[in-house]
Amino acid sequence: MILDPTYAPRQPPPSISTDQAARAVWPSEPNSPIPTLTETRANKRPRVDTHNLQSFKSHRRSAIKTPSSPLTPWRTSFRKTESRPNHLDPHCTAIDFDLSSPHIPAMHPLINRQTLKELDLDSILRNPQLRHDLLFDAGLQFRPTSGRRKRDLSDKYWSAIAQELQTGCTCVSFDLQWKPHDLLCVCAQGPIPQVPSLTYCSPLRALTLRMPSRIRHLLTEFLEVLLFVIQPLTSICGTYANPATLQTQIEQHAAQAAHLRSLFDPELIQQELHHQLFDPSGLFIVIGQTLKSHCAPMRDRLVDAMVEAAKACAPGCGGSKADAVKAVRMCLDILELMKLDIANHQLQTLRPFLIETAGQYELKAFKGRKGAGASLDLTRKWIRTAYHHLMSSSHPIPLSLPHPSHPSNTITLNYRELPQTQQIYLSVLRALTDLVFEPPCGPSPTPVPHSHSLQRERVSKSSIPYLPLYPETTYLDGARLLVLSGEAADATAMYMFLLLFRQLAFSDPDSNACGDPSSRVVVTDAQLASLKKEIRDISSGHLGHCFAQVKGDSDSERWAKVREDIVLQIAMRAKEARSPSTLLSSSPWPRNPESASEPGSDSQPQSRVLASAPDERMLKLAERWSDTNMRPNSPLSTLLRKRIRDVVFNQVVALTFPSASSRHSGTSTSTTSLGKSSNFTSLAPPSALSSGMEPLADEIRLLSERLSRLAHIHLGVYLPLYEQEEFSTSVFSDLESCS
């Protein structure tokens, strides 16, 4: 892959030596002001503001234990109160709430050292999900996190910063349902607290939460993020670059960091802000020059825009404090983009190394994740079931597998006579195919986006989906298996709808035309392709939803309505296929009734619509057929799903099973490079499809290619584990003795 130089950092990321000057500037473990997850999510009981209280001796009374309102989202503590001011509810003396609520602006910017550390090379190299995804997508890149939730949280934070700079207020108000309320400021009651303080207003039945100042946290974190992004990379010395050749750059970076620390004094800036004397223009000019010496060339315009926003705040330029907040926000966004550029540059540079070591790393990570002696019962049962199916299939269990290594492009494998390694290989292929067509949790009720089409946002070990019923060795492919299961369910549903169309088109022919060959109903490939497109347009989503065992939700109601529309369209097309005008026409269907109103079209569109409408008997027959068969585990859906599964399995074996030369030479099937694409050109010809599956050739081909890719990578990682004597004996010994 040719990398775009505009995305690459200007200077190659160096590695930090053990020079003490560099350590003084960038300590290995800086004391981050950001609290840990347990600290931020701890439901601490805030202090209730009780100043200016009257003499409490005349107000002493016992606590009244009244049950809290079911609408109140917090727990009310009924303790004996010794004082009750006029503006406080006697039953709200102690309230527990979550400071991480999305309605409360965060105390720290969303772009901080903790979030950017996920993009460090150490985090990338130790992230099994990311390294596994890189095998499937060569162009995998990081991008900024996006989404409505993040935008809302970010906007709330920067609005709170602007509000504090302009008015000094850190308050946020809520109603008793913990929903945002018009601001009721209580800042006049005293200085800004060091901990959150809650005040209740009885007349308006509202709560005001007064937060500590966010300015100092922002200034401190802003400086640390700036130094964190431009610092040399400490974790890749010897792998990415030679430390001896980068010592000059390390010293330059240390000098830049020391200069920035001398100019950016958070305590002094906070005092200048308090007295309205802070001029950010000069500081941001220096920051802009520093960023341009490190960022990719394509980021220069963003840096210039940030500097211009800061210059507008200079005396006499008419800028406001909102412009200063805008400049700080733009700078943090640029720093995040710079960190992303560096991470993407590292990812592409180290991709050959990551792919070369993927098999060993994933197997080591899996063993470390499960621990020594961990149970693999699901995996053993999964492969044992596939092995049993292959051993007990037809007599004497021949497998006709199209393969390019054979002169006739077709070979016959006797599964019983194969070596154990090849039996294991085929068993895993069959097991993966069964896992796609018969997922333990059922077909996904909603379409899952394919991971190949998306660029990764934030990657962490916690992002690995947890599928408890799936085999342990498939934990990194959970999302892909769900996608493939959805595609298999869609193909099965389409197969059934096309079968319904054929049954309606060929059922109950006209008795007068029985002996006339020219009136015989013929369904062409063009008609089937056109009907497939119409069914997809009507469904506009996931056809396989009919096989999801989910009841009573809005998706099920929507699917019931979509199914009725599809059945009506199929019945109409079946009637048109049996009409004489269709038999004599070369087009797939007669002219669309909706186009009859166009100039030069039929002058009687209503008559054409009525003529193509299905009769009541045909429509009821189609609806009964749909109600009986388009449901989970119906006999017909099970039969058709198995037919498609067998065809897909044959094509997966044709694409993935080792060639005859590698089998005869004894080459291990697990030594193939995981980064190289499999040969996806030698698929079974359409003639190999039968039982009405010819219109589904494209769907079956795509599903087979994706499943073959997944199986190729899976076997490249876990085949050594499956071939271990302890594992293989526990899987195959009991069945061999039974056979």
Side-chain angles (χ1 to χ4, degrees):
M1 169 175 288
I2 299 177
L3 299 178
D4 188 348
T6 59
Y7 288 87
R10 280 194 172 91
Q11 299 177 356
S15 110
I16 281 188
S17 67
T18 57
D19 187 86
Q20 298 193 359
R23 286 190 175 184
V25 178
W26 302 295
S28 58
E29 293 294 335
N31 295 325
S32 173
I34 301 179
T36 60
L37 183 62
T38 56
E39 293 175 346
T40 43
R41 294 194 175 274
N43 294 330
K44 294 183 179 180
R45 179 167 293 163
R47 175 177 60 84
V48 179
D49 203 349
T50 57
H51 71 285
N52 295 329
L53 300 183
Q54 299 177 1
S55 176
F56 59 82
K57 293 183 180 181
S58 60
H59 297 285
R60 182 175 298 179
R61 61 178 63 183
S62 301
I64 303 175
K65 293 189 176 181
T66 304
S68 58
S69 171
L71 298 177
T72 305
W74 50 73
R75 302 185 303 275
T76 306
S77 176
F78 302 100
R79 300 178 300 178
K80 183 175 180 180
T81 58
E82 297 186 355
S83 59
R84 178 165 55 92
N86 295 331
H87 62 283
L88 291 178
D89 192 315
H91 305 309
C92 290
T93 57
I95 298 177
D96 294 335
F97 62 92
D98 189 3
L99 289 177
S100 63
S101 168
H103 301 304
I104 302 176
M107 286 298 299
H108 302 87
L110 272 66
I111 300 174
N112 51 65
R113 282 170 290 170
Q114 296 297 329
T115 58
L116 295 183
K117 278 184 178 179
E118 297 177 2
L119 299 172
D120 280 350
L121 188 62
D122 280 342
S123 300
I124 295 175
L125 295 177
R126 290 178 172 83
N127 192 317
Q129 185 67 65
L130 172 60
R131 296 184 62 167
H132 186 74
D133 293 345
L134 192 62
L135 298 174
F136 290 88
D137 187 358
L140 185 67
Q141 288 188 336
F142 295 100
R143 67 177 183 180
T145 52
S146 59
R148 182 177 178 181
R149 175 179 173 81
K150 184 198 173 183
R151 289 194 301 269
D152 292 344
L153 293 176
S154 181
D155 291 342
K156 282 184 173 62
Y157 173 79
W158 292 109
S159 297
I161 292 293
Q163 173 182 296
E164 183 177 353
L165 285 176
Q166 294 173 357
T167 64
C169 177
T170 61
C171 301
V172 57
S173 299
F174 306 92
D175 60 15
L176 295 184
Q177 282 72 39
W178 207 243
K179 296 180 180 179
H181 188 277
D182 293 339
L183 181 61
L184 302 175
C185 182
V186 295
C187 292
Q189 298 179 359
I192 297 179
Q194 298 298 319
V195 295
S197 174
L198 190 67
T199 303
Y200 177 65
C201 180
S202 298
L204 298 178
R205 297 186 62 80
L207 290 158
T208 295
L209 181 65
R210 197 176 182 202
M211 299 293 293
S213 175
R214 298 179 177 87
I215 301 298
R216 182 59 180 271
H217 296 292
L218 172 61
L219 296 175
T220 303
E221 191 62 23
F222 177 82
L223 175 60
E224 296 300 330
V225 169
L226 175 60
L227 299 178
F228 175 72
V229 172
I230 69 172
Q231 70 176 339
L233 304 176
T234 62
S235 58
I236 54 175
C237 102
T239 301
Y240 188 82
N242 184 2
T245 62
L246 302 174
Q247 187 63 32
T248 303
Q249 293 183 2
I250 294 175
E251 295 175 356
Q252 291 176 353
H253 291 149
Q256 286 180 342
H259 182 56
L260 288 173
R261 286 189 183 276
S262 65
L263 295 177
F264 197 101
D265 186 352
E267 183 176 358
L268 177 61
I269 293 176
Q270 188 175 14
Q271 295 178 6
E272 292 177 342
L273 288 171
H274 180 71
H275 296 285
Q276 300 183 358
L277 299 175
F278 178 60
D279 177 13
S281 57
L283 177 60
F284 274 84
I285 290 175
V286 177
I287 293 176
Q289 294 173 351
T290 304
L291 294 183
K292 281 189 175 183
S293 66
H294 292 272
C295 70
M298 64 171 299
R299 308 299 181 193
D300 288 351
R301 286 192 297 178
L302 295 177
V303 175
D304 293 336
M306 174 200 70
V307 174
E308 291 300 324
K311 287 182 178 179
C313 302
C317 295
S320 62
K321 293 182 178 179
D323 294 324
V325 174
K326 178 182 177 182
V328 176
R329 184 175 185 177
M330 291 176 64
C331 187
L332 286 176
D333 291 338
I334 293 172
L335 291 172
E336 183 185 34
L337 293 175
M338 290 175 58
K339 188 64 176 176
L340 289 168
D341 293 339
I342 295 174
N344 289 328
H345 185 71
Q346 296 170 354
L347 193 63
Q348 294 303 319
T349 303
L350 297 177
R351 183 177 182 273
F353 168 77
L354 296 177
I355 292 177
E356 182 181 357
T357 59
Q360 300 90 330
Y361 172 78
E362 286 191 24
L363 188 58
K364 180 181 178 181
F366 173 76
K367 293 180 178 179
R369 179 177 182 265
K370 300 298 294 184
S375 173
L376 296 177
D377 293 340
L378 291 176
T379 302
R380 288 187 173 92
K381 181 180 178 181
W382 172 57
I383 299 180
R384 185 185 296 114
T385 302
Y387 176 79
H388 175 73
H389 288 166
L390 292 176
M391 291 291 292
S392 61
S393 55
S394 57
H395 10 264
I397 315 160
L399 297 177
S400 297
L401 305 172
H403 200 278
S405 63
H406 195 270
S408 64
N409 205 35
T410 302
I411 60 176
T412 300
L413 295 179
N414 192 333
Y415 186 79
R416 294 177 179 269
E417 298 178 358
L418 292 175
Q420 187 180 52
T421 299
Q422 295 182 11
Q423 287 184 345
I424 296 173
Y425 200 99
L426 287 174
S427 298
V428 175
L429 295 182
R430 178 57 184 258
L432 286 172
T433 307
D434 291 343
L435 195 62
V436 167
F437 282 88
E438 299 176 5
C441 57
S444 176
T446 54
V448 182
H450 201 280
S451 60
H452 296 180
S453 61
L454 297 179
Q455 290 188 350
R456 180 168 299 276
E457 295 187 355
R458 284 286 190 268
V459 185
S460 62
K461 295 180 180 179
S462 60
S463 65
I464 299 177
Y466 177 64
L467 302 176
L469 300 179
Y470 278 69
E472 296 87 351
T473 54
T474 62
Y475 77 107
L476 294 178
D477 289 313
R480 291 181 184 84
L481 289 171
L482 292 178
V483 170
L484 294 176
S485 296
E487 293 177 356
D490 291 346
T492 304
M494 182 65 73
Y495 189 13
M496 297 181 69
F497 281 130
L498 295 180
L499 181 62
L500 172 62
F501 167 74
R502 283 192 174 97
Q503 290 182 349
L504 295 178
F506 290 100
S507 64
D508 193 17
D510 189 359
S511 58
N512 298 327
C514 289
D516 186 4
S518 63
S519 302
R520 190 173 301 167
V521 177
V522 177
V523 177
T524 64
D525 294 340
Q527 290 175 334
L528 294 175
S530 177
L531 182 59
K532 279 174 52 180
K533 183 178 182 303
E534 292 173 353
I535 292 175
R536 289 196 182 95
D537 293 341
I538 294 174
S539 65
S540 66
H542 194 42
L543 274 178
H545 195 289
C546 57
F547 305 122
Q549 300 180 358
V550 180
K551 298 181 180 180
D553 60 346
S554 58
D555 288 340
S556 298
E557 297 176 358
R558 174 186 172 276
W559 162 248
K561 179 65 172 62
V562 169
R563 187 182 62 181
E564 293 177 359
D565 296 340
I566 293 176
V567 169
L568 178 61
Q569 184 72 10
I570 291 175
M572 184 186 71
R573 292 308 187 190
K575 183 176 181 181
E576 291 178 356
R578 295 166 55 178
S579 64
S581 59
T582 305
L583 297 176
L584 300 176
S585 175
S586 59
S587 60
W589 305 110
R591 185 172 44 188
N592 190 345
E594 296 178 358
S595 64
S597 59
E598 298 177 358
S601 62
D602 196 343
S603 58
Q604 296 181 345
Q606 186 175 2
S607 62
R608 292 184 56 82
V609 173
L610 294 176
S612 60
D615 56 81
E616 184 177 359
R617 185 186 65 84
M618 177 183 288
L619 186 58
K620 287 185 176 180
L621 175 64
E623 290 177 348
R624 287 197 303 269
W625 188 96
S626 175
D627 294 338
T628 303
N629 299 303
M630 302 299 295
R631 57 183 177 83
N633 300 322
S634 66
L636 182 60
S637 67
T638 303
L639 174 64
L640 299 185
R641 183 177 66 249
K642 289 182 178 179
R643 287 182 181 177
I644 299 179
R645 179 200 63 189
D646 293 340
V647 174
V648 169
F649 172 66
N650 288 342
Q651 295 199 9
V652 168
V653 173
L655 292 169
T656 313
F657 196 69
S659 62
S661 59
S662 62
R663 296 196 306 271
H664 296 157
S665 62
T667 304
S668 175
T669 55
S670 63
T671 58
T672 307
S673 174
L674 299 182
K676 296 181 180 179
S677 300
S678 300
N679 181 16
F680 290 149
T681 59
S682 57
L683 286 173
S687 60
L689 303 178
S690 59
S691 305
M693 284 186 282
E694 295 83 359
L696 301 175
D698 293 338
E699 289 82 354
I700 292 175
R701 176 180 58 82
L702 291 175
L703 181 58
S704 301
E705 289 179 359
R706 292 174 179 173
L707 183 55
S708 299
R709 181 66 172 162
L710 189 150
H712 175 73
I713 294 175
H714 180 85
L715 285 165
V717 175
Y718 293 104
L719 187 58
L721 174 64
Y722 300 150
E723 291 176 343
Q724 290 181 2
E725 183 178 359
E726 179 183 359
F727 185 90
S728 60
T729 301
S730 63
V731 172
F732 303 109
S733 59
D734 54 343
L735 293 177
E736 290 177 353
S737 60
C738 294
S739 59

